[in-house]
Each structure stands twice: as C-alpha cells, then as structure tokens.
mmCIF file of all heavy atoms in Angstrom:
data_model
loop_
_atom_site.group_PDB
_atom_site.id
_atom_site.type_symbol
_atom_site.label_atom_id
_atom_site.label_comp_id
_atom_site.label_asym_id
_atom_site.label_seq_id
_atom_site.Cartn_x
_atom_site.Cartn_y
_atom_site.Cartn_z
ATOM 1 N N TYR A 18 -37.563 40.579 154.313
ATOM 2 C CA TYR A 18 -37.807 40.675 152.865
ATOM 3 C C TYR A 18 -36.974 41.761 152.192
ATOM 4 O O TYR A 18 -37.208 42.098 151.036
ATOM 5 C CB TYR A 18 -39.294 40.949 152.609
ATOM 6 C CG TYR A 18 -40.221 39.883 153.150
ATOM 7 C CD1 TYR A 18 -40.918 40.101 154.346
ATOM 8 C CD2 TYR A 18 -40.396 38.672 152.492
ATOM 9 C CE1 TYR A 18 -41.773 39.125 154.865
ATOM 10 C CE2 TYR A 18 -41.245 37.699 152.999
ATOM 11 C CZ TYR A 18 -41.932 37.931 154.181
ATOM 12 O OH TYR A 18 -42.772 36.966 154.690
ATOM 13 N N LYS A 19 -35.992 42.315 152.911
ATOM 14 C CA LYS A 19 -35.272 43.462 152.357
ATOM 15 C C LYS A 19 -34.535 43.131 151.059
ATOM 16 O O LYS A 19 -34.327 43.991 150.212
ATOM 17 C CB LYS A 19 -34.294 44.034 153.380
ATOM 18 C CG LYS A 19 -33.140 43.118 153.783
ATOM 19 C CD LYS A 19 -32.269 43.774 154.850
ATOM 20 C CE LYS A 19 -31.143 42.846 155.299
ATOM 21 N NZ LYS A 19 -30.182 42.564 154.215
ATOM 22 N N ASP A 20 -34.166 41.851 150.869
ATOM 23 C CA ASP A 20 -33.470 41.453 149.645
ATOM 24 C C ASP A 20 -34.423 40.979 148.551
ATOM 25 O O ASP A 20 -33.985 40.528 147.496
ATOM 26 C CB ASP A 20 -32.458 40.351 149.954
ATOM 27 C CG ASP A 20 -31.332 40.845 150.856
ATOM 28 O OD1 ASP A 20 -30.952 42.024 150.727
ATOM 29 O OD2 ASP A 20 -30.837 40.045 151.682
ATOM 30 N N TRP A 21 -35.710 41.091 148.795
ATOM 31 C CA TRP A 21 -36.694 40.742 147.763
ATOM 32 C C TRP A 21 -36.784 41.845 146.705
ATOM 33 O O TRP A 21 -37.375 41.632 145.645
ATOM 34 C CB TRP A 21 -38.075 40.537 148.402
ATOM 35 C CG TRP A 21 -38.265 39.193 149.030
ATOM 36 C CD1 TRP A 21 -37.401 38.521 149.835
ATOM 37 C CD2 TRP A 21 -39.419 38.363 148.896
ATOM 38 N NE1 TRP A 21 -37.925 37.329 150.224
ATOM 39 C CE2 TRP A 21 -39.177 37.193 149.673
ATOM 40 C CE3 TRP A 21 -40.621 38.481 148.239
ATOM 41 C CZ2 TRP A 21 -40.111 36.155 149.775
ATOM 42 C CZ3 TRP A 21 -41.559 37.456 148.336
ATOM 43 C CH2 TRP A 21 -41.302 36.309 149.091
ATOM 44 N N PHE A 22 -36.207 42.986 147.008
ATOM 45 C CA PHE A 22 -36.341 44.146 146.127
ATOM 46 C C PHE A 22 -34.968 44.751 145.847
ATOM 47 O O PHE A 22 -33.966 44.381 146.478
ATOM 48 C CB PHE A 22 -37.285 45.176 146.767
ATOM 49 C CG PHE A 22 -38.599 44.584 147.172
ATOM 50 C CD1 PHE A 22 -38.795 44.113 148.476
ATOM 51 C CD2 PHE A 22 -39.623 44.446 146.258
ATOM 52 C CE1 PHE A 22 -39.995 43.522 148.847
ATOM 53 C CE2 PHE A 22 -40.837 43.858 146.617
ATOM 54 C CZ PHE A 22 -41.021 43.406 147.922
ATOM 55 N N HIS A 23 -34.911 45.674 144.916
ATOM 56 C CA HIS A 23 -33.655 46.345 144.563
ATOM 57 C C HIS A 23 -33.600 47.666 145.333
ATOM 58 O O HIS A 23 -34.039 48.709 144.846
ATOM 59 C CB HIS A 23 -33.587 46.587 143.057
ATOM 60 C CG HIS A 23 -33.613 45.319 142.237
ATOM 61 N ND1 HIS A 23 -32.468 44.664 141.863
ATOM 62 C CD2 HIS A 23 -34.650 44.596 141.741
ATOM 63 C CE1 HIS A 23 -32.795 43.588 141.147
ATOM 64 N NE2 HIS A 23 -34.116 43.519 141.068
ATOM 65 N N VAL A 24 -33.069 47.593 146.544
ATOM 66 C CA VAL A 24 -33.068 48.745 147.442
ATOM 67 C C VAL A 24 -31.758 49.516 147.297
ATOM 68 O O VAL A 24 -30.669 48.941 147.337
ATOM 69 C CB VAL A 24 -33.253 48.288 148.907
ATOM 70 C CG1 VAL A 24 -33.193 49.498 149.845
ATOM 71 C CG2 VAL A 24 -34.582 47.543 149.055
ATOM 72 N N HIS A 25 -31.862 50.840 147.133
ATOM 73 C CA HIS A 25 -30.669 51.682 147.035
ATOM 74 C C HIS A 25 -30.177 52.107 148.412
ATOM 75 O O HIS A 25 -28.978 52.120 148.685
ATOM 76 C CB HIS A 25 -30.959 52.921 146.185
ATOM 77 C CG HIS A 25 -31.290 52.592 144.764
ATOM 78 N ND1 HIS A 25 -31.902 53.489 143.918
ATOM 79 C CD2 HIS A 25 -31.104 51.460 144.037
ATOM 80 C CE1 HIS A 25 -32.055 52.930 142.739
ATOM 81 N NE2 HIS A 25 -31.594 51.698 142.784
ATOM 82 N N GLN A 26 -31.132 52.450 149.289
ATOM 83 C CA GLN A 26 -30.770 52.851 150.651
ATOM 84 C C GLN A 26 -32.018 52.848 151.519
ATOM 85 O O GLN A 26 -33.145 52.786 151.020
ATOM 86 C CB GLN A 26 -30.135 54.259 150.652
ATOM 87 C CG GLN A 26 -31.089 55.384 150.249
ATOM 88 C CD GLN A 26 -30.413 56.731 150.210
ATOM 89 O OE1 GLN A 26 -29.493 56.945 149.443
ATOM 90 N NE2 GLN A 26 -30.885 57.645 151.040
ATOM 91 N N PHE A 27 -31.806 52.861 152.812
ATOM 92 C CA PHE A 27 -32.907 52.931 153.782
ATOM 93 C C PHE A 27 -32.882 54.298 154.448
ATOM 94 O O PHE A 27 -31.813 54.890 154.622
ATOM 95 C CB PHE A 27 -32.756 51.819 154.829
ATOM 96 C CG PHE A 27 -32.929 50.434 154.265
ATOM 97 C CD1 PHE A 27 -31.818 49.656 153.952
ATOM 98 C CD2 PHE A 27 -34.179 49.907 154.052
ATOM 99 C CE1 PHE A 27 -31.956 48.383 153.447
ATOM 100 C CE2 PHE A 27 -34.324 48.627 153.547
ATOM 101 C CZ PHE A 27 -33.215 47.863 153.227
ATOM 102 N N PRO A 28 -34.068 54.806 154.814
ATOM 103 C CA PRO A 28 -35.390 54.226 154.584
ATOM 104 C C PRO A 28 -35.760 54.253 153.092
ATOM 105 O O PRO A 28 -35.173 55.009 152.312
ATOM 106 C CB PRO A 28 -36.318 55.129 155.404
ATOM 107 C CG PRO A 28 -35.624 56.452 155.410
ATOM 108 C CD PRO A 28 -34.155 56.134 155.483
ATOM 109 N N LEU A 29 -36.743 53.436 152.738
ATOM 110 C CA LEU A 29 -37.142 53.342 151.331
ATOM 111 C C LEU A 29 -37.714 54.652 150.813
ATOM 112 O O LEU A 29 -37.539 54.977 149.637
ATOM 113 C CB LEU A 29 -38.195 52.236 151.140
ATOM 114 C CG LEU A 29 -37.726 50.785 151.298
ATOM 115 C CD1 LEU A 29 -38.836 49.835 150.881
ATOM 116 C CD2 LEU A 29 -36.477 50.510 150.483
ATOM 117 N N LYS A 30 -38.381 55.409 151.706
ATOM 118 C CA LYS A 30 -39.016 56.666 151.268
ATOM 119 C C LYS A 30 -38.614 57.793 152.200
ATOM 120 O O LYS A 30 -38.592 57.638 153.423
ATOM 121 C CB LYS A 30 -40.536 56.506 151.244
ATOM 122 C CG LYS A 30 -41.054 55.547 150.185
ATOM 123 C CD LYS A 30 -42.563 55.672 149.999
ATOM 124 C CE LYS A 30 -42.924 57.048 149.426
ATOM 125 N NZ LYS A 30 -44.366 57.157 149.147
ATOM 126 N N GLU A 31 -38.319 58.917 151.551
ATOM 127 C CA GLU A 31 -38.042 60.155 152.293
ATOM 128 C C GLU A 31 -38.765 61.285 151.573
ATOM 129 O O GLU A 31 -38.329 61.726 150.515
ATOM 130 C CB GLU A 31 -36.546 60.429 152.357
ATOM 131 C CG GLU A 31 -35.770 59.421 153.183
ATOM 132 C CD GLU A 31 -34.287 59.724 153.221
ATOM 133 O OE1 GLU A 31 -33.646 59.663 152.142
ATOM 134 O OE2 GLU A 31 -33.774 60.032 154.309
ATOM 135 N N GLY A 32 -39.888 61.679 152.155
ATOM 136 C CA GLY A 32 -40.700 62.692 151.492
ATOM 137 C C GLY A 32 -41.220 62.163 150.170
ATOM 138 O O GLY A 32 -41.804 61.078 150.093
ATOM 139 N N SER A 33 -40.970 62.909 149.081
ATOM 140 C CA SER A 33 -41.434 62.478 147.757
ATOM 141 C C SER A 33 -40.422 61.567 147.063
ATOM 142 O O SER A 33 -40.694 61.032 145.992
ATOM 143 C CB SER A 33 -41.707 63.701 146.879
ATOM 144 O OG SER A 33 -40.522 64.468 146.720
ATOM 145 N N ALA A 34 -39.257 61.386 147.666
ATOM 146 C CA ALA A 34 -38.210 60.549 147.055
ATOM 147 C C ALA A 34 -38.361 59.100 147.503
ATOM 148 O O ALA A 34 -38.751 58.826 148.644
ATOM 149 C CB ALA A 34 -36.840 61.070 147.442
ATOM 150 N N PHE A 35 -38.058 58.176 146.578
ATOM 151 C CA PHE A 35 -38.038 56.762 146.959
ATOM 152 C C PHE A 35 -36.722 56.153 146.490
ATOM 153 O O PHE A 35 -36.154 56.544 145.471
ATOM 154 C CB PHE A 35 -39.255 56.007 146.403
ATOM 155 C CG PHE A 35 -39.450 56.092 144.912
ATOM 156 C CD1 PHE A 35 -38.924 55.122 144.058
ATOM 157 C CD2 PHE A 35 -40.186 57.137 144.345
ATOM 158 C CE1 PHE A 35 -39.118 55.185 142.705
ATOM 159 C CE2 PHE A 35 -40.382 57.207 142.977
ATOM 160 C CZ PHE A 35 -39.850 56.230 142.141
ATOM 161 N N HIS A 36 -36.245 55.168 147.267
ATOM 162 C CA HIS A 36 -34.896 54.640 147.069
ATOM 163 C C HIS A 36 -34.922 53.142 146.725
ATOM 164 O O HIS A 36 -34.250 52.339 147.359
ATOM 165 C CB HIS A 36 -34.055 54.882 148.329
ATOM 166 C CG HIS A 36 -34.031 56.299 148.776
ATOM 167 N ND1 HIS A 36 -33.609 57.328 147.972
ATOM 168 C CD2 HIS A 36 -34.415 56.875 149.956
ATOM 169 C CE1 HIS A 36 -33.705 58.469 148.617
ATOM 170 N NE2 HIS A 36 -34.201 58.228 149.829
ATOM 171 N N TYR A 37 -35.703 52.803 145.728
ATOM 172 C CA TYR A 37 -35.779 51.407 145.287
ATOM 173 C C TYR A 37 -36.143 51.394 143.798
ATOM 174 O O TYR A 37 -36.723 52.344 143.271
ATOM 175 C CB TYR A 37 -36.813 50.622 146.105
ATOM 176 C CG TYR A 37 -38.182 51.268 146.163
ATOM 177 C CD1 TYR A 37 -39.170 50.952 145.220
ATOM 178 C CD2 TYR A 37 -38.510 52.194 147.165
ATOM 179 C CE1 TYR A 37 -40.418 51.550 145.264
ATOM 180 C CE2 TYR A 37 -39.753 52.790 147.215
ATOM 181 C CZ TYR A 37 -40.700 52.470 146.258
ATOM 182 O OH TYR A 37 -41.936 53.071 146.305
ATOM 183 N N GLU A 38 -35.769 50.305 143.145
ATOM 184 C CA GLU A 38 -36.066 50.153 141.719
ATOM 185 C C GLU A 38 -37.553 49.866 141.529
ATOM 186 O O GLU A 38 -38.189 49.188 142.352
ATOM 187 C CB GLU A 38 -35.250 49.012 141.114
ATOM 188 C CG GLU A 38 -33.746 49.232 141.103
ATOM 189 C CD GLU A 38 -33.330 50.287 140.095
ATOM 190 O OE1 GLU A 38 -34.002 50.435 139.051
ATOM 191 O OE2 GLU A 38 -32.331 50.988 140.361
ATOM 192 N N THR A 39 -38.095 50.357 140.416
ATOM 193 C CA THR A 39 -39.511 50.166 140.118
ATOM 194 C C THR A 39 -39.677 49.820 138.645
ATOM 195 O O THR A 39 -38.733 49.889 137.860
ATOM 196 C CB THR A 39 -40.305 51.455 140.404
ATOM 197 O OG1 THR A 39 -39.828 52.486 139.520
ATOM 198 C CG2 THR A 39 -40.169 51.888 141.845
ATOM 199 N N PHE A 40 -40.887 49.440 138.285
ATOM 200 C CA PHE A 40 -41.237 49.358 136.872
ATOM 201 C C PHE A 40 -41.393 50.792 136.373
ATOM 202 O O PHE A 40 -42.184 51.566 136.922
ATOM 203 C CB PHE A 40 -42.542 48.588 136.660
ATOM 204 C CG PHE A 40 -43.117 48.783 135.280
ATOM 205 C CD1 PHE A 40 -42.417 48.363 134.159
ATOM 206 C CD2 PHE A 40 -44.338 49.412 135.098
ATOM 207 C CE1 PHE A 40 -42.927 48.552 132.884
ATOM 208 C CE2 PHE A 40 -44.858 49.608 133.829
ATOM 209 C CZ PHE A 40 -44.151 49.180 132.719
ATOM 210 N N GLY A 41 -40.634 51.149 135.331
ATOM 211 C CA GLY A 41 -40.634 52.539 134.899
ATOM 212 C C GLY A 41 -40.168 53.397 136.066
ATOM 213 O O GLY A 41 -39.177 53.102 136.723
ATOM 214 N N PHE A 42 -40.915 54.437 136.350
ATOM 215 C CA PHE A 42 -40.646 55.268 137.523
ATOM 216 C C PHE A 42 -41.903 55.377 138.386
ATOM 217 O O PHE A 42 -42.171 56.410 138.985
ATOM 218 C CB PHE A 42 -40.145 56.650 137.100
ATOM 219 C CG PHE A 42 -38.787 56.611 136.428
ATOM 220 C CD1 PHE A 42 -38.684 56.694 135.061
ATOM 221 C CD2 PHE A 42 -37.629 56.450 137.183
ATOM 222 C CE1 PHE A 42 -37.440 56.651 134.434
ATOM 223 C CE2 PHE A 42 -36.390 56.393 136.578
ATOM 224 C CZ PHE A 42 -36.289 56.491 135.196
ATOM 225 N N TYR A 43 -42.667 54.258 138.397
ATOM 226 C CA TYR A 43 -43.905 54.229 139.181
ATOM 227 C C TYR A 43 -43.594 53.690 140.572
ATOM 228 O O TYR A 43 -43.334 52.491 140.746
ATOM 229 C CB TYR A 43 -44.955 53.360 138.489
ATOM 230 C CG TYR A 43 -45.301 53.818 137.096
ATOM 231 C CD1 TYR A 43 -44.784 53.174 135.977
ATOM 232 C CD2 TYR A 43 -46.147 54.905 136.901
ATOM 233 C CE1 TYR A 43 -45.100 53.600 134.697
ATOM 234 C CE2 TYR A 43 -46.481 55.337 135.626
ATOM 235 C CZ TYR A 43 -45.944 54.678 134.525
ATOM 236 O OH TYR A 43 -46.265 55.102 133.247
ATOM 237 N N GLU A 44 -43.644 54.535 141.581
ATOM 238 C CA GLU A 44 -43.244 54.092 142.916
ATOM 239 C C GLU A 44 -44.189 53.058 143.497
ATOM 240 O O GLU A 44 -43.817 52.335 144.434
ATOM 241 C CB GLU A 44 -43.143 55.291 143.870
ATOM 242 C CG GLU A 44 -44.456 55.995 144.179
ATOM 243 C CD GLU A 44 -44.261 57.070 145.243
ATOM 244 O OE1 GLU A 44 -44.071 56.707 146.412
ATOM 245 O OE2 GLU A 44 -44.284 58.258 144.880
ATOM 246 N N ASP A 45 -45.414 52.934 142.927
ATOM 247 C CA ASP A 45 -46.343 51.927 143.449
ATOM 248 C C ASP A 45 -46.151 50.566 142.780
ATOM 249 O O ASP A 45 -46.933 49.648 142.993
ATOM 250 C CB ASP A 45 -47.792 52.404 143.268
ATOM 251 C CG ASP A 45 -48.173 52.621 141.822
ATOM 252 O OD1 ASP A 45 -47.270 52.776 140.979
ATOM 253 O OD2 ASP A 45 -49.392 52.630 141.514
ATOM 254 N N MET A 46 -45.064 50.409 141.967
ATOM 255 C CA MET A 46 -44.756 49.123 141.348
ATOM 256 C C MET A 46 -43.292 48.759 141.606
ATOM 257 O O MET A 46 -42.436 48.849 140.721
ATOM 258 C CB MET A 46 -45.042 49.157 139.838
ATOM 259 C CG MET A 46 -46.520 49.306 139.488
ATOM 260 S SD MET A 46 -46.775 49.233 137.700
ATOM 261 C CE MET A 46 -48.567 49.346 137.617
ATOM 262 N N PRO A 47 -42.944 48.352 142.836
ATOM 263 C CA PRO A 47 -41.554 47.998 143.167
ATOM 264 C C PRO A 47 -41.070 46.790 142.362
ATOM 265 O O PRO A 47 -41.805 45.814 142.205
ATOM 266 C CB PRO A 47 -41.620 47.658 144.660
ATOM 267 C CG PRO A 47 -42.938 48.175 145.140
ATOM 268 C CD PRO A 47 -43.854 48.164 143.976
ATOM 269 N N LYS A 48 -39.854 46.880 141.859
ATOM 270 C CA LYS A 48 -39.292 45.794 141.065
ATOM 271 C C LYS A 48 -38.817 44.665 141.970
ATOM 272 O O LYS A 48 -38.110 44.887 142.953
ATOM 273 C CB LYS A 48 -38.129 46.298 140.211
ATOM 274 C CG LYS A 48 -37.512 45.241 139.297
ATOM 275 C CD LYS A 48 -36.460 45.846 138.376
ATOM 276 C CE LYS A 48 -35.744 44.767 137.562
ATOM 277 N NZ LYS A 48 -36.660 44.015 136.688
ATOM 278 N N LEU A 49 -39.194 43.439 141.620
ATOM 279 C CA LEU A 49 -38.804 42.263 142.387
ATOM 280 C C LEU A 49 -37.399 41.812 142.004
ATOM 281 O O LEU A 49 -36.994 41.887 140.840
ATOM 282 C CB LEU A 49 -39.795 41.125 142.138
ATOM 283 C CG LEU A 49 -41.194 41.334 142.728
ATOM 284 C CD1 LEU A 49 -42.209 40.431 142.040
ATOM 285 C CD2 LEU A 49 -41.181 41.072 144.232
ATOM 286 N N ASN A 50 -36.660 41.313 142.984
ATOM 287 C CA ASN A 50 -35.313 40.803 142.763
ATOM 288 C C ASN A 50 -35.408 39.310 142.453
ATOM 289 O O ASN A 50 -35.310 38.462 143.338
ATOM 290 C CB ASN A 50 -34.440 41.043 143.995
ATOM 291 C CG ASN A 50 -33.040 40.497 143.821
ATOM 292 O OD1 ASN A 50 -32.629 40.154 142.720
ATOM 293 N ND2 ASN A 50 -32.305 40.412 144.916
#
C-alpha cells in the first residue's frame, strides 16, 4: 500500500517528525493518493 499515500521518505515517522502528506498538518489524517 506504499503508493496509496503521498510518501516523502521512509520510515514514515521519525520521532515527532512524519514524512507523508496529510490533511492540513494533522498527522492522524494521511492524505490518500
């Protein structure tokens, strides 16, 4: 499912940083591709 989302890099999360597109800047709402 890695192409189901707008991923910038892996891993998706590193500490408090996340590397994927979201609605707004809410990390609990990943944007669908």
Side-chain angles (χ1 to χ4, degrees):
Y18 300 102
K19 65 182 178 65
D20 294 326
W21 279 45
F22 307 94
H23 298 269
V24 178
H25 296 163
Q26 66 182 62
F27 293 99
L29 290 188
K30 293 193 66 176
E31 293 180 296
S33 60
F35 56 93
H36 306 303
Y37 52 91
E38 295 289 329
T39 63
F40 165 63
F42 294 101
Y43 302 102
E44 66 174 287
D45 61 340
M46 293 184 177
K48 182 174 174 61
L49 290 160
N50 179 13

